[in-house]
């Protein structure tokens, strides 16, 4: 397992043990505190997708936002499809859809 999953798992484990110990001792404020720590530890395990910033001409940005407003897709998704189609046209790939979806 990677460190990105081990650390949140340990935090959640310690929080669960703390909740059990505090509940048996009827220290309800500590139960609340350990529950909050457990939730924060679980949130650490949620992957964060970071997108690299992209400089785009204003006319292309306007096109993307208008297309997103008219349709049911986000600007990022439309931009992903546009870049994938352009790359496919440059390299001669048959399937322009990104393989990481």
């Amino acid at each position: 397992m990677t460190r990105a999953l081990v650390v949140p798992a340990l935090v959640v484990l310690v929080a669960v043990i703390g909740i059990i110990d505090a509940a048996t001792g009827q220290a309800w404020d500590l139960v609340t505190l350990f529950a909050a720590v457990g939730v924060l530890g679980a949130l650490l395990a949620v992957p964060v997708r970071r997108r690299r910033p992209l400089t785009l001409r204003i006319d292309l940005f306007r096109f993307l936002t208008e297309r997103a407003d008219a349709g049911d897709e986000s600007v990022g998704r439309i931009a992903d499809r546009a870049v994938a189609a352009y790359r496919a046209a440059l390299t001669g790939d048959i399937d322009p859809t990104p393989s990481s979806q």
Side-chain angles (χ1 to χ4, degrees):
M1 282 176 40
T2 64
R3 184 178 297 183
L5 293 177
V6 171
V7 171
L10 288 175
V11 170
V12 171
L13 178 67
V14 168
V16 168
I17 293 170
I19 288 171
I20 293 170
D21 185 48
T24 56
Q26 296 183 348
W28 305 117
D29 54 342
L30 286 177
V31 171
T32 305
L33 179 68
F34 279 118
V37 168
V39 168
L40 291 176
L43 289 177
L44 286 176
V46 175
V48 176
R49 298 178 76 188
R50 292 192 174 106
R51 296 177 70 104
R52 298 174 83 185
L54 177 69
T55 304
L56 193 62
R57 289 188 340 227
I58 190 69
D59 60 324
L60 296 176
F61 178 74
R62 190 175 301 122
F63 168 78
L64 287 175
T65 55
E66 288 171 359
R67 177 95 181 212
D69 290 341
D72 196 22
E73 288 183 294
S74 67
V75 172
R77 184 123 191 184
I78 295 171
D80 287 344
R81 284 193 305 113
V83 171
Y86 183 74
R87 187 185 94 194
L90 285 177
T91 60
D93 289 343
I94 295 172
D95 185 17
T97 57
S99 60
S100 64
Q101 286 186 349

